[in-house]
DNA sequence: TGTACATCAGTGAACGCGCGTTCACTGATGTAC
DNA sequence: TGTACATCAGTGAACGCGCGTTCACTGATGTAC
């Protein structure tokens, strides 16, 4: 706060030094980001090595262990970050509050937009879903289940679905999530600039969601609650 | 055919020697089977090595090259064999020719049965679908598309779906295939002897298929043909 | 404020391992005469 | 049928490579006085 001093020490301090905690956080994030960049190219988490992640993050392989005990732990960090994005997507779709006849179009639009803007996150989840790393696969599927439950709760607020039993809501949500997942797969397999192909994927998704919703008013549970 | 001879040479011939072609075919199949066994444990094709496959097949690593130029070629052989099983499944469901109200239950039953009896094939396809080996992933997705088209043709023969346009039939088939895929994923993630869990999966699948079919009679294409 | 010590994020050399691929080979099966 | 040569499925040694993990280390940041 006392300005105008000439000590070089003070001048150096004007460019604030990073604290250890800041450096630590920055490196950790660099490792996470490095892994995500590798996802973007279409690789799966299984096939990226600790050494390659460290290299891309600009640290020596052994530095990795200061942040994660194993690659599995890094994987969990990626799961957390990716599903933060997916939850944001759900929130945006919810907050748009479109009327029913525009809701499907709007939701698909939101989905396509999020995939385009967060390719690495979606790539990680799409590939990791069928990973042969049991821990990672379980973690991702558990998060998808949570995501499906949140969607089921949102659906329950819609008039057309208001009188469905809880597990029927979950069943419908799961069906919609399946359609979304295959839509995401299709988008990720398409070059982002092929707007024509993306548009066809969008239309197919809209049709599928519409068809499912058409069945809902006629749905009667096998065992009435 | 002249029996009773004492020459050791003839005795040896009584146990018929394998021709080169027979040995060749046997080794090739041993390599394919070895890879499939590795699938059964839940590993993905990406993560099995040429050396481990050769070892499990009982040949030296270099012998592999007498049959496949790369692991990719072995992968294509697995795709072919796996989808032969899937096509057999579709054929069985078709030939059962159940009346509409039992058809869904019967199809799900057939699916669950096939997955139980052909775990390695389904494991290979389920994991390979999201493989980061582009060639393998493309091959599997192309086969799934063919499978979907076949299903669409079968659906077109059902009265309730008879007047749908071709691409609407494909859309419905894709929706059903999505539900089947997620059903297969769930089964493969469940120990085969957990009959209670399998039963819940079966029931969920039936509900989802029923809901989709409920929507069909109300379906009107956006642009009438 | 200055000094002396502690902490700890990141370094760099080294290890043993399984990998894909090469190469010259062996010996049983196949074929021409 | 018997012989002499060709074919070719499978062998075994060797290679260079990237991997995960260990270890003792360096030097900047943090802290107690």
């Amino acid at each position: 706060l006392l300005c105008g001093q000439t000590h070089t020490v003070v001048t150096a301090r004007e460019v604030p030094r990073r604290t250890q905690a800041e450096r630590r956080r920055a490196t950790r994030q660099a490792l996470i980001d490095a892994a995500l960049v590798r996802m973007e190219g279409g690789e799966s988490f299984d096939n990226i090595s600790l050494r390659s992640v460290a290299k891309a993050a600009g640290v020596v392989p052994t530095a990795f262990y200061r942040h994660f005990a194993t690659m599995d732990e890094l994987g969990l960090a990626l799961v957390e970050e990716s599903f933060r994005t997916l939850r944001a997507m759900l929130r945006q779709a919810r907050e748009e509050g479109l009327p029913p006849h525009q809701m499907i179009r709007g939701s698909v639009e939101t989905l396509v937009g999020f995939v385009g803007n967060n390719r690495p996150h979606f790539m990680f989840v799409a590939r990791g879903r069928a990973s042969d790393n049991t821990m990672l696969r379980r973690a991702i599927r558990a998060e998808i289940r949570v995501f499906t439950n949140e969607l089921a709760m949102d659906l329950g607020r819609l008039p057309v679905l208001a009188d469905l039993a809880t597990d029927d809501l979950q069943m419908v949500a799961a069906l919609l999530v399946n359609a979304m997942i295959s839509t995401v797969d299709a988008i990720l397999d398409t070059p982002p600039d092929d707007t024509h192909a993306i548009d066809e994927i969008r239309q197919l998704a809209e049709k599928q969601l519409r068809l499912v919703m058409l069945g809902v008013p006629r749905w009667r549970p096998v065992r009435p609650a």
Side-chain angles (χ1 to χ4, degrees), chain A residues 39-54:
Chain A
M39 296 298 100
E40 189 143 25
E43 280 174 287
S44 73
F45 185 75
D46 292 335
N47 290 354
I48 68 175
S49 64
L50 185 153
R51 289 181 99 102
S52 73
V53 169

Side-chain angles (χ1 to χ4, degrees), chain A residues 4-224:
Chain A
Q5 297 192 0
T6 54
H7 298 328
T8 53
V9 176
V10 172
T11 309
R13 288 257 160 97
E14 283 172 356
V15 177
R17 288 183 190 162
R18 284 180 142 179
T19 63
Q20 277 192 356
E22 280 170 342
R23 287 180 69 197
R24 186 177 166 78
R25 225 180 313 122
T27 302
R28 188 187 137 94
Q29 194 58 46
L31 289 166
I32 291 175
D33 292 345
L36 281 171
V37 167
R38 301 290 304 275
M39 296 298 100
E40 189 143 25
E43 280 174 287
S44 73
F45 185 75
D46 292 335
N47 290 354
I48 68 175
S49 64
L50 185 153
R51 289 181 99 102
S52 73
V53 169
K55 191 173 187 179
V59 292
V60 107
T62 44
F64 180 93
Y65 295 106
R66 294 274 172 208
H67 302 276
F68 304 102
T70 59
M71 282 292 281
D72 275 9
E73 273 190 18
L74 173 59
L76 289 181
L78 290 182
V79 171
E80 213 170 282
E81 200 175 294
S82 298
F83 277 90
R84 208 175 302 139
T85 298
L86 288 186
R87 258 177 268 287
M89 181 178 74
L90 206 56
R91 196 178 327 120
Q92 176 169 322
R94 187 188 306 134
E95 288 172 356
E96 277 177 348
L98 294 171
H101 66 285
Q102 288 178 28
M103 186 173 295
I104 286 176
R105 178 176 297 257
S107 298
V108 171
E109 187 58 47
T110 302
L111 177 66
V112 173
F114 264 78
V115 176
N117 292 329
N118 303 276
R119 268 184 104 80
H121 287 162
F122 282 89
M123 207 57 117
F124 170 70
V125 173
R127 296 267 190 275
R129 216 170 86 236
S131 164
D132 56 2
N133 177 332
T134 303
M135 198 225 58
L136 183 62
R137 193 179 66 247
R138 290 262 155 87
I140 289 180
R141 295 196 180 179
E143 288 286 352
I144 289 180
R145 233 173 290 128
V146 171
F147 181 89
T148 305
N149 290 345
E150 285 184 38
L151 178 60
M153 287 186 58
D154 285 358
L155 291 176
R157 296 197 196 94
L158 300 178
V160 69
L161 288 141
D163 50 351
L164 255 65
T166 305
D167 60 329
D168 285 336
L169 273 178
Q170 302 237 22
M171 180 271 290
V172 176
L175 202 47
L176 297 177
V177 168
N178 284 345
M180 284 168 54
I181 287 175
S182 91
T183 302
V184 170
D185 275 341
I187 295 173
L188 292 176
D189 241 18
T190 305
D193 56 343
D194 187 346
T195 53
H196 180 66
I198 299 283
D199 227 66
E200 283 191 347
I201 293 167
R202 188 201 326 259
Q203 283 174 33
L204 176 62
E206 283 181 24
K207 280 178 156 192
Q208 293 185 333
L209 299 190
R210 275 178 58 214
L211 178 61
V212 172
M213 297 311 282
L214 277 180
V216 168
R218 301 181 66 196
W219 178 258
R220 290 296 173 270
V222 177
R223 306 179 179 204

